[in-house]
Amino acid sequence: MVKTFQTISGIRQCIELWRHSGERIAFVPTMGNLHEGHLTLVREAKQHADRVVVSIFVNPTQFGVNEDFANYPRTEAEDCQKLTDEGCDAVFLPSVDTLYSPHAKTTVHVEGVSDYFCGASRRGHFSGVATVVSKLLNIIEPHSAFFGLKDFQQFVIIQTLVRDLNFPIDIIGVPTVREHDGLAMSSRNGYLTAAERKVAPQIYNTLQLARDQLRHSSYSFEEVEKQSIATLAQHGFVIDYFTIARRADLAFAGVDDHDLIILVAATLGKTRLIDNLWLDKSITPRCQNN
Ligand code: PAF
């Protein structure tokens, strides 16, 4: 069975021995309830390093007051079995008290990109993510860390904080893993009812349709966004945003931008789903006002 550590000193001692013998360390932070998407991160991490460390920590500071912190699925025993099967080397399982001192005065906030899209509807969420990821990177001190690209805004925020705080760590994004019908894998998919689960892949279908419209028609960004929002609403989604943005910094895309991404967040029943699709460089869409 994979080695597990609850304390900061325990995981540090273990990693220090590996680092001392010249081994490279890869890190995969998670909130547990591991699915194929997480295991893909672990497999990718194994390609880059001699040792793979995974953390499982349901981080209270990234949940809003009306969000699902208390009910978030906690499946540690199954998770550790899956990580053992994948050949993971160590699992860090801190308690909330271990990671957060009641006297703490410091949080990490990445300005700008944390404040729009998911950051606008989930106030404080990305400060919670940025703070816990900074703490975990500081504890584990890996050579590289792996994040899923489904949470693309989170990925951009983590890249930014690692650059700004001079962490000597490679941040590697791993493409989204999908179910057979295109639904992006997520721990939250388990909240969908059977009827909602059938409708949920429409989010990916709508992203693909939007990409095709941008490739093969003369619709403006604004027209594509409006049509996509209407399509999702017809299927019963309540849309938070459906937007075309610049991939580098998630600023709104203009006519001269080529590295683009379509981002969506929408709620189906009680479940908030996010997804995205990259647009290739060859697209030269009209700007919003054309
Ligand atoms: O993406 C997640 O699972 C979480 O936001 C992370 C990065 C583990 C921080 O709690």
Side-chain angles (χ1 to χ4, degrees), residues 4-179:
T4 59
F5 299 88
Q6 273 80 30
T7 64
I8 295 174
S9 56
I11 189 79
R12 273 189 169 149
Q13 266 170 31
C14 166
I15 293 171
E16 189 45 41
L17 284 176
W18 293 334
R19 200 179 291 111
H20 203 73
S21 21
E23 294 186 300
R24 291 190 67 79
I25 317 294
F27 177 46
V28 181
T30 80
M31 297 209 299
N33 194 227
L34 303 182
H35 52 64
E36 201 48 33
H38 298 108
L39 301 181
T40 304
L41 297 180
V42 173
R43 284 171 209 144
E44 193 62 34
K46 276 179 78 82
Q47 304 297 314
H48 283 73
D50 305 298
R51 301 286 182 173
V52 176
V53 179
V54 173
S55 64
I56 298 178
F57 179 65
V58 185
N59 174 35
T61 66
Q62 69 187 78
F63 288 81
V65 268
N66 297 321
E67 294 185 350
D68 52 349
F69 174 68
N71 299 324
Y72 197 85
R74 287 157 172 89
T75 53
E76 272 173 22
E78 292 93 321
D79 292 346
C80 286
Q81 186 56 58
K82 287 178 188 171
L83 293 172
T84 305
D85 297 345
E86 290 298 332
C88 164
D89 296 280
V91 183
F92 182 42
L93 289 155
S95 67
V96 173
D97 291 346
T98 299
L99 226 49
Y100 289 106
S101 148
H103 309 295
K105 297 276 184 275
T106 308
T107 54
V108 179
H109 180 74
V110 178
E111 274 178 26
V113 67
S114 297
D115 302 323
Y116 37 84
F117 304 139
C118 286
S121 40
R122 303 184 69 194
R123 291 273 166 212
H125 167 69
F126 286 123
S127 297
V129 171
T131 303
V132 81
V133 169
S134 303
K135 287 161 82 69
L136 290 167
L137 294 180
N138 200 27
I139 292 165
I140 306 295
E141 294 185 71
H143 296 92
S144 53
F146 293 74
F147 296 85
L149 291 174
K150 177 173 74 70
D151 295 317
F152 193 76
Q153 189 172 6
Q154 167 174 284
F155 181 71
V156 172
I157 288 165
I158 290 165
Q159 277 184 316
T160 310
L161 83 82
V162 162
R163 180 199 67 194
D164 292 353
L165 299 179
N166 307 101
F167 281 108
I169 299 170
D170 291 332
I171 299 299
I172 296 170
V174 178
T176 304
V177 180
R178 298 183 181 279
E179 303 284 358

Side-chain angles (χ1 to χ4, degrees), residues 208-219 221 224 262 277-285:
Q208 287 179 304
L209 189 67
R211 181 181 60 187
D212 292 346
Q213 284 176 329
L214 289 162
R215 269 190 187 150
H216 305 301
S217 74
S218 58
Y219 290 124
F221 289 162
V224 170
I262 318 174
L277 202 58
W278 290 25
L279 297 184
D280 26 75
K281 283 184 172 193
S282 55
I283 298 165
T284 314

